[in-house]
Amino acid sequence: MTRSITLAAIQFSPSDDVQANIDRVAGFVEQAAGRGADVVLPPELFCGYYFCKTQEEEHFARALPWETHPAVVQLTEIAKKFDVVIPVSIYEKDGPAYYNSLVMLDADGAALGVYRKSHIPDGPGYQEKFYFGPGNTGFRVWDTKKGKIGVGICWDQWFPEAARAMALMGADVLLYPTAIGAEPQDAGLDTAARWRRAMLGHAVSNVIPVCAANRVGDEQGQAFYGTSFISDQTGEVVAEMDRAKEGVIVATFDLDMIDRERAAWGFFRDRRPDLYGSLL
């Protein structure tokens, strides 16, 4: 039997009401499942407003242990109900440490583990180093009931090393939950196109489908530009959202065909790790 996988990305504008946002994601998951999705990707930190634009101590209260986080607990039942994999992006508290984390829920609702964002940005409007420690899990690829899934979180998506590491670990697809938009220091700077091109390069160089889910809309003066997309293994965009709408996009891939194509291109055959010492 041919292996295939159907990916879905959710694009929406969260409120600052945790339960309302979880309910909305659950509704979008149901929509995606109705369109045949195997894996449904919500945006980064979808439980509330993107709070990292400034440094405010009160926001540490948003973090919770992943095992008891309401998004994880409730979406576990949704994953099981609709037989879909859901990568759940949360603000995690682990003892005295805080992380921008993702919990992978398998299609039977099992929590397969946690990935903690490796690359933490720090700049105008995106002051994440105040809130998150650097991830200590390393990159992760989960062998889910629907396929082998690698996930990077937002700023991770700009780094080719992260994509290549997950591909080397056997990922069938790469997913990137995201929160990105306006640059407050420069109103004329629009990174939407280069954001997409960076990930399309990962698709090409690793012969792998890529799915990115972004938030959209204005949050207390900070605008997020949406443009969520799914690309195939050649870097061709096969499904996308615009800068305004909320909703779900879906695309299906033949994983056996992609495996053959990846082998035929020879990127992994012709790698020269013996020459890459300068990367370290």
CSV table of all heavy atoms in Angstrom, one decimal, residues 61-100:
chain,number,residue,atom,x,y,z
A,61,ALA,N,3.1,34.3,34.1
A,61,ALA,CA,2.0,33.5,34.6
A,61,ALA,C,1.3,32.7,33.6
A,61,ALA,O,0.4,31.8,33.9
A,61,ALA,CB,1.0,34.4,35.4
A,62,ARG,N,1.5,33.0,32.3
A,62,ARG,CA,0.9,32.3,31.2
A,62,ARG,C,1.5,30.9,31.1
A,62,ARG,O,0.8,30.0,30.4
A,62,ARG,CB,1.1,33.0,29.9
A,62,ARG,CG,0.4,34.4,29.8
A,62,ARG,CD,0.8,35.1,28.5
A,62,ARG,NE,0.2,36.5,28.5
A,62,ARG,CZ,-0.9,36.7,27.7
A,62,ARG,NH1,-1.5,35.8,27.0
A,62,ARG,NH2,-1.4,38.0,27.7
A,63,ALA,N,2.6,30.6,31.6
A,63,ALA,CA,3.3,29.4,31.4
A,63,ALA,C,2.8,28.3,32.4
A,63,ALA,O,2.5,28.6,33.6
A,63,ALA,CB,4.8,29.5,31.6
A,64,LEU,N,2.6,27.1,31.9
A,64,LEU,CA,2.1,26.0,32.7
A,64,LEU,C,2.9,24.7,32.3
A,64,LEU,O,3.5,24.6,31.2
A,64,LEU,CB,0.7,25.7,32.4
A,64,LEU,CG,-0.3,26.8,32.8
A,64,LEU,CD1,-1.7,26.6,32.2
A,64,LEU,CD2,-0.4,27.0,34.3
A,65,PRO,N,3.0,23.7,33.2
A,65,PRO,CA,3.6,22.4,32.9
A,65,PRO,C,2.8,21.8,31.7
A,65,PRO,O,1.6,21.9,31.6
A,65,PRO,CB,3.4,21.6,34.2
A,65,PRO,CG,3.3,22.6,35.3
A,65,PRO,CD,2.5,23.8,34.7
A,66,TRP,N,3.6,21.2,30.8
A,66,TRP,CA,2.9,20.7,29.6
A,66,TRP,C,1.9,19.6,29.9
A,66,TRP,O,0.9,19.5,29.2
A,66,TRP,CB,4.0,20.3,28.6
A,66,TRP,CG,4.7,18.9,28.9
A,66,TRP,CD1,5.9,18.8,29.4
A,66,TRP,CD2,4.2,17.6,28.5
A,66,TRP,NE1,6.2,17.4,29.5
A,66,TRP,CE2,5.2,16.7,28.9
A,66,TRP,CE3,3.0,17.1,27.9
A,66,TRP,CZ2,5.0,15.3,28.8
A,66,TRP,CZ3,2.9,15.8,27.7
A,66,TRP,CH2,3.9,14.9,28.2
A,67,GLU,N,2.2,18.8,30.9
A,67,GLU,CA,1.3,17.6,31.2
A,67,GLU,C,-0.1,18.1,31.5
A,67,GLU,O,-1.1,17.4,31.3
A,67,GLU,CB,1.8,16.8,32.3
A,67,GLU,CG,3.2,16.1,31.9
A,67,GLU,CD,4.4,17.0,32.4
A,67,GLU,OE1,4.2,18.2,32.6
A,67,GLU,OE2,5.4,16.4,32.6
A,68,THR,N,-0.2,19.3,32.2
A,68,THR,CA,-1.5,19.7,32.6
A,68,THR,C,-2.0,21.0,31.9
A,68,THR,O,-3.0,21.5,32.3
A,68,THR,CB,-1.5,20.0,34.1
A,68,THR,OG1,-0.4,21.0,34.4
A,68,THR,CG2,-1.2,18.8,35.0
A,69,HIS,N,-1.3,21.3,30.9
A,69,HIS,CA,-1.7,22.5,30.1
A,69,HIS,C,-3.1,22.3,29.5
A,69,HIS,O,-3.3,21.2,28.9
A,69,HIS,CB,-0.7,22.8,29.0
A,69,HIS,CG,-0.8,24.2,28.4
A,69,HIS,ND1,-1.9,24.6,27.6
A,69,HIS,CD2,0.0,25.3,28.6
A,69,HIS,CE1,-1.7,25.9,27.3
A,69,HIS,NE2,-0.6,26.3,27.8
A,70,PRO,N,-4.1,23.2,29.6
A,70,PRO,CA,-5.4,23.0,29.1
A,70,PRO,C,-5.5,22.7,27.6
A,70,PRO,O,-6.3,21.9,27.1
A,70,PRO,CB,-6.2,24.2,29.5
A,70,PRO,CG,-5.2,25.3,29.8
A,70,PRO,CD,-4.0,24.5,30.3
A,71,ALA,N,-4.6,23.3,26.8
A,71,ALA,CA,-4.5,23.0,25.4
A,71,ALA,C,-4.1,21.6,25.1
A,71,ALA,O,-4.7,20.9,24.2
A,71,ALA,CB,-3.6,24.0,24.7
A,72,VAL,N,-3.2,21.1,25.8
A,72,VAL,CA,-2.7,19.7,25.7
A,72,VAL,C,-3.8,18.7,26.1
A,72,VAL,O,-4.2,17.8,25.4
A,72,VAL,CB,-1.4,19.4,26.4
A,72,VAL,CG1,-1.1,18.0,26.4
A,72,VAL,CG2,-0.3,20.3,25.9
A,73,VAL,N,-4.4,19.0,27.3
A,73,VAL,CA,-5.4,18.1,27.9
A,73,VAL,C,-6.6,18.0,26.9
A,73,VAL,O,-7.1,16.9,26.6
A,73,VAL,CB,-5.8,18.6,29.3
A,73,VAL,CG1,-7.0,17.8,29.8
A,73,VAL,CG2,-4.6,18.4,30.2
A,74,GLN,N,-7.1,19.2,26.5
A,74,GLN,CA,-8.3,19.2,25.7
A,74,GLN,C,-8.1,18.7,24.3
A,74,GLN,O,-9.0,18.0,23.7
A,74,GLN,CB,-9.0,20.6,25.7
A,74,GLN,CG,-9.4,21.0,27.1
A,74,GLN,CD,-10.0,22.4,27.1
A,74,GLN,OE1,-10.8,22.7,26.3
A,74,GLN,NE2,-9.6,23.2,28.1
A,75,LEU,N,-7.0,19.1,23.7
A,75,LEU,CA,-6.8,18.7,22.3
A,75,LEU,C,-6.4,17.2,22.2
A,75,LEU,O,-6.5,16.6,21.1
A,75,LEU,CB,-5.7,19.6,21.7
A,75,LEU,CG,-6.2,21.0,21.4
A,75,LEU,CD1,-5.1,21.9,20.9
A,75,LEU,CD2,-7.4,21.0,20.5
A,76,THR,N,-6.0,16.6,23.3
A,76,THR,CA,-5.8,15.2,23.3
A,76,THR,C,-7.0,14.4,22.9
A,76,THR,O,-7.0,13.5,22.1
A,76,THR,CB,-5.3,14.7,24.8
A,76,THR,OG1,-4.0,15.2,25.0
A,76,THR,CG2,-5.3,13.2,24.9
A,77,GLU,N,-8.1,14.9,23.5
A,77,GLU,CA,-9.4,14.3,23.2
A,77,GLU,C,-9.8,14.6,21.7
A,77,GLU,O,-10.4,13.7,21.1
A,77,GLU,CB,-10.5,14.8,24.1
A,77,GLU,CG,-10.3,14.4,25.6
A,77,GLU,CD,-10.1,12.9,25.7
A,77,GLU,OE1,-10.9,12.1,25.2
A,77,GLU,OE2,-9.1,12.4,26.4
A,78,ILE,N,-9.5,15.7,21.2
A,78,ILE,CA,-9.9,16.1,19.9
A,78,ILE,C,-9.0,15.3,18.9
A,78,ILE,O,-9.6,14.8,17.9
A,78,ILE,CB,-9.6,17.6,19.6
A,78,ILE,CG1,-10.5,18.4,20.5
A,78,ILE,CG2,-9.8,18.0,18.2
A,78,ILE,CD1,-12.0,18.2,20.3
A,79,ALA,N,-7.8,15.1,19.2
A,79,ALA,CA,-6.9,14.2,18.3
A,79,ALA,C,-7.5,12.8,18.2
A,79,ALA,O,-7.5,12.2,17.1
A,79,ALA,CB,-5.5,14.2,18.9
A,80,LYS,N,-7.8,12.3,19.4
A,80,LYS,CA,-8.4,10.9,19.4
A,80,LYS,C,-9.7,10.9,18.7
A,80,LYS,O,-10.0,9.9,17.9
A,80,LYS,CB,-8.6,10.5,20.9
A,80,LYS,CG,-9.0,9.1,21.0
A,80,LYS,CD,-9.3,8.8,22.5
A,80,LYS,CE,-8.2,9.2,23.5
A,80,LYS,NZ,-8.5,8.8,24.9
A,81,LYS,N,-10.6,11.8,18.9
A,81,LYS,CA,-11.9,11.8,18.3
A,81,LYS,C,-11.9,11.9,16.8
A,81,LYS,O,-12.6,11.1,16.1
A,81,LYS,CB,-12.7,13.0,18.8
A,81,LYS,CG,-14.1,13.2,18.2
A,81,LYS,CD,-14.9,14.4,18.8
A,81,LYS,CE,-16.2,14.5,18.2
A,81,LYS,NZ,-17.0,15.7,18.7
A,82,PHE,N,-10.9,12.7,16.2
A,82,PHE,CA,-10.9,12.8,14.8
A,82,PHE,C,-9.7,12.1,14.1
A,82,PHE,O,-9.5,12.2,12.9
A,82,PHE,CB,-10.8,14.3,14.4
A,82,PHE,CG,-12.1,15.1,14.8
A,82,PHE,CD1,-12.0,16.0,15.9
A,82,PHE,CD2,-13.2,14.9,14.2
A,82,PHE,CE1,-13.2,16.7,16.3
A,82,PHE,CE2,-14.4,15.5,14.5
A,82,PHE,CZ,-14.4,16.4,15.6
A,83,ASP,N,-9.0,11.3,14.9
A,83,ASP,CA,-7.9,10.4,14.4
A,83,ASP,C,-6.9,11.3,13.6
A,83,ASP,O,-6.5,11.0,12.5
A,83,ASP,CB,-8.5,9.4,13.4
A,83,ASP,CG,-7.5,8.3,13.0
A,83,ASP,OD1,-6.6,8.0,13.8
A,83,ASP,OD2,-7.5,7.9,11.9
A,84,VAL,N,-6.5,12.4,14.2
A,84,VAL,CA,-5.5,13.3,13.6
A,84,VAL,C,-4.3,13.5,14.6
A,84,VAL,O,-4.5,13.5,15.8
A,84,VAL,CB,-6.1,14.6,13.2
A,84,VAL,CG1,-7.1,14.4,12.1
A,84,VAL,CG2,-6.7,15.4,14.3
A,85,VAL,N,-3.2,13.8,14.0
A,85,VAL,CA,-2.0,14.3,14.8
A,85,VAL,C,-2.1,15.8,15.0
A,85,VAL,O,-2.4,16.5,14.0
A,85,VAL,CB,-0.7,13.9,14.1
A,85,VAL,CG1,0.5,14.5,14.8
A,85,VAL,CG2,-0.6,12.4,13.9
A,86,ILE,N,-1.9,16.3,16.2
A,86,ILE,CA,-1.9,17.7,16.4
A,86,ILE,C,-0.6,18.1,17.2
A,86,ILE,O,-0.5,17.8,18.3
A,86,ILE,CB,-3.1,18.1,17.3
A,86,ILE,CG1,-4.4,17.6,16.7
A,86,ILE,CG2,-3.2,19.7,17.4
A,86,ILE,CD1,-5.7,17.9,17.5
A,87,PRO,N,0.2,18.9,16.5
A,87,PRO,CA,1.4,19.5,17.3
A,87,PRO,C,0.9,20.7,18.0
A,87,PRO,O,0.4,21.7,17.4
A,87,PRO,CB,2.3,19.9,16.1
A,87,PRO,CG,1.8,19.2,14.9
A,87,PRO,CD,0.3,19.1,15.1
A,88,VAL,N,1.0,20.7,19.3
A,88,VAL,CA,0.3,21.8,20.2
A,88,VAL,C,1.4,22.7,20.7
A,88,VAL,O,2.3,22.3,21.5
A,88,VAL,CB,-0.5,21.1,21.3
A,88,VAL,CG1,-1.1,22.2,22.2
A,88,VAL,CG2,-1.5,20.2,20.8
A,89,SER,N,1.4,24.0,20.3
A,89,SER,CA,2.4,24.9,20.7
A,89,SER,C,1.9,25.6,22.0
A,89,SER,O,0.8,26.2,22.1
A,89,SER,CB,2.5,26.0,19.6
A,89,SER,OG,3.4,27.0,20.1
A,90,ILE,N,2.8,25.6,23.1
A,90,ILE,CA,2.4,26.1,24.4
A,90,ILE,C,3.6,26.9,25.0
A,90,ILE,O,4.7,26.8,24.6
A,90,ILE,CB,2.0,25.0,25.4
A,90,ILE,CG1,3.2,24.1,25.6
A,90,ILE,CG2,0.8,24.3,24.9
A,90,ILE,CD1,3.0,23.1,26.8
A,91,TYR,N,3.3,27.7,26.0
A,91,TYR,CA,4.3,28.3,26.9
A,91,TYR,C,4.4,27.4,28.0
A,91,TYR,O,3.5,27.2,28.8
A,91,TYR,CB,3.8,29.7,27.3
A,91,TYR,CG,4.8,30.5,28.0
A,91,TYR,CD1,6.2,30.2,28.1
A,91,TYR,CD2,4.4,31.7,28.7
A,91,TYR,CE1,7.1,31.0,28.8
A,91,TYR,CE2,5.4,32.5,29.4
A,91,TYR,CZ,6.7,32.1,29.4
A,91,TYR,OH,7.6,32.9,30.1
A,92,GLU,N,5.6,26.8,28.2
A,92,GLU,CA,5.8,25.7,29.2
A,92,GLU,C,6.6,26.2,30.4
A,92,GLU,O,7.6,26.9,30.2
A,92,GLU,CB,6.5,24.5,28.5
A,92,GLU,CG,6.8,23.4,29.5
A,92,GLU,CD,7.8,22.4,29.0
A,92,GLU,OE1,8.4,22.6,27.9
A,92,GLU,OE2,8.1,21.4,29.7
A,93,LYS,N,6.2,25.8,31.6
A,93,LYS,CA,6.9,26.0,32.8
A,93,LYS,C,7.4,24.6,33.3
A,93,LYS,O,6.6,23.7,33.5
A,93,LYS,CB,6.1,26.7,33.9
A,93,LYS,CG,6.8,27.0,35.2
A,93,LYS,CD,5.9,27.7,36.2
A,93,LYS,CE,6.7,28.3,37.3
A,93,LYS,NZ,7.6,27.4,38.0
A,94,ASP,N,8.7,24.5,33.5
A,94,ASP,CA,9.3,23.3,34.0
A,94,ASP,C,10.1,23.6,35.2
A,94,ASP,O,11.3,24.0,35.0
A,94,ASP,CB,10.1,22.6,32.9
A,94,ASP,CG,10.7,21.3,33.4
A,94,ASP,OD1,10.2,20.7,34.3
A,94,ASP,OD2,11.8,20.9,32.8
A,95,GLY,N,9.5,23.5,36.4
A,95,GLY,CA,10.2,24.0,37.6
A,95,GLY,C,10.5,25.5,37.4
A,95,GLY,O,9.6,26.3,37.1
A,96,PRO,N,11.8,25.9,37.6
A,96,PRO,CA,12.1,27.4,37.5
A,96,PRO,C,12.4,27.8,36.0
A,96,PRO,O,12.6,28.9,35.8
A,96,PRO,CB,13.3,27.5,38.3
A,96,PRO,CG,14.0,26.2,38.2
A,96,PRO,CD,12.9,25.1,38.1
A,97,ALA,N,12.3,26.8,35.1
A,97,ALA,CA,12.6,27.1,33.7
A,97,ALA,C,11.4,27.3,32.9
A,97,ALA,O,10.3,26.7,33.1
A,97,ALA,CB,13.5,26.0,33.1
A,98,TYR,N,11.5,28.2,31.8
A,98,TYR,CA,10.4,28.5,30.9
A,98,TYR,C,10.8,28.3,29.5
A,98,TYR,O,11.9,28.7,29.1
A,98,TYR,CB,10.0,30.0,31.1
A,98,TYR,CG,9.4,30.3,32.5
A,98,TYR,CD1,10.2,30.4,33.6
A,98,TYR,CD2,8.0,30.4,32.7
A,98,TYR,CE1,9.7,30.7,34.9
A,98,TYR,CE2,7.5,30.7,33.9
A,98,TYR,CZ,8.3,30.8,35.0
A,98,TYR,OH,7.8,31.1,36.2
A,99,TYR,N,9.9,27.7,28.7
A,99,TYR,CA,10.3,27.3,27.3
A,99,TYR,C,9.1,27.6,26.4
A,99,TYR,O,7.9,27.6,26.8
A,99,TYR,CB,10.6,25.8,27.2
A,99,TYR,CG,11.8,25.4,28.0
A,99,TYR,CD1,11.6,24.7,29.2
A,99,TYR,CD2,13.1,25.6,27.6
A,99,TYR,CE1,12.6,24.3,30.0
A,99,TYR,CE2,14.2,25.2,28.4
A,99,TYR,CZ,13.9,24.5,29.6
A,99,TYR,OH,15.0,24.1,30.4
A,100,ASN,N,9.4,27.9,25.2
A,100,ASN,CA,8.5,27.9,24.1
A,100,ASN,C,8.5,26.5,23.5
A,100,ASN,O,9.4,26.1,22.8
A,100,ASN,CB,8.9,29.0,23.0
A,100,ASN,CG,7.9,29.2,21.9
A,100,ASN,OD1,7.1,28.3,21.6
A,100,ASN,ND2,8.0,30.3,21.2
